[in-house]
Amino acid sequence: MASNRDWLEAGLVLLAEQGAPSVTIERLADRLGLSKGSFYHHFKGMSGYRTALLEHFEAERTTRFVELAEQAQGDRLRALMDLVLAPGPGPELEIAVRAWALQDAEARTVQERIDRTRTDYLTELCGDAGLGQALYLVVVGAGQVVPPLSGRRLRSALELVLGRSK
C-alpha cells in the first residue's frame, strides 16, 4: 500500500517530467501501479491533492533545505549550495512549479511564499539583500536557459557571484 508521501513523490516526478496538466489521478495510479480507489483513500479529490502537492514541494525543496543548512557545521551558505546542487529533481521541477504558478492562483501564492522564504534566508546568510537576491536569481535563471545550467557550471556561476561580492 502506498503512503501519502508515495503519492506526493509520484506527483513531483510527473510534474517535473510533463508539467501540472499531467498530474492526474489516472497517471498517478498508473505510475504507482495502484487503483484510483487507493488515491481516494489518501486524498479527498484532485483539488486537495494539488494543495498537498504544493505543500510537499515547499516542505521538501525549501523548508527542509533551510533546516538542513541550519544544522550544518560551519558555513551554512556552502551547505545550502550543496543541497541545491545535489543530484535529484532539479531545474525541471522548479520550472514546472513556476509554469503552474502562472496559471493557478494557489500555485502562485505558494511560489511567492517560496521565493520570499528563499531570498530572505539567503539575505540572512549573506548579510546583504542584494547578494542574497543575486544568488537566488542565478539559481532561478540557470534553470530557465536551455539546456539548464546544473552541477559544476551552476556552482561556478554561484562562486563567481560570491567571489565578486567580497
Side-chain angles (χ1 to χ4, degrees), residues 2 10 17 19 36 42 44 54 65 72-73 78 87 95 113 119 128 135-137 144-145 149 159 162-163:
E17 290 176 354
K36 290 192 275 184
H42 295 283
K44 292 184 192 274
L54 288 165
F65 282 15
Q73 301 297 321
R78 299 289 172 188
I95 291 167
R113 186 173 59 239
T119 55
D128 178 336
L135 289 172
Y136 191 57
L137 291 173
Q144 299 298 315
V145 295
L149 278 178
E159 296 286 353
L162 286 169

Side-chain angles (χ1 to χ4, degrees), residues 42-103:
H42 295 283
F43 305 96
K44 292 184 192 274
M46 204 58 198
S47 176
Y49 176 79
R50 288 179 183 260
T51 297
L53 185 62
L54 288 165
E55 290 170 354
H56 182 67
F57 172 74
E58 182 177 18
E60 288 296 307
R61 302 290 297 178
T62 301
T63 307
R64 185 174 65 84
F65 282 15
V66 169
E67 289 170 353
L68 291 171
E70 284 297 306
Q71 295 169 8
Q73 301 297 321
D75 190 340
R76 294 178 296 159
L77 182 56
R78 299 289 172 188
L80 181 61
M81 279 178 45
D82 290 343
L83 290 165
V84 169
L85 297 172
E92 300 82 12
L93 181 56
E94 294 283 336
I95 291 167
V97 174
R98 286 184 187 285
W100 186 8
L102 292 174
Q103 300 175 6

Side-chain angles (χ1 to χ4, degrees), residues 4-47:
N4 276 24
R5 183 176 182 82
D6 294 330
W7 286 98
L8 294 170
E9 287 295 319
L12 291 182
V13 171
L14 275 173
L15 184 60
E17 290 176 354
Q18 301 172 30
S22 74
V23 182
T24 65
I25 297 169
E26 293 80 13
R27 286 186 177 154
L28 289 163
D30 284 348
R31 183 165 291 259
L32 292 170
L34 298 168
S35 69
K36 290 192 275 184
S38 178
F39 173 88
Y40 289 105
H41 175 74
H42 295 283
F43 305 96
K44 292 184 192 274
M46 204 58 198
S47 176

Side-chain angles (χ1 to χ4, degrees), residues 130-131 134-135 138 155-166:
L131 178 57
L135 289 172
V138 167
R155 184 178 295 277
S156 294
L158 291 168
E159 296 286 353
L160 181 65
V161 172
L162 286 169
R164 295 274 167 94
S165 71
K166 294 178 182 176

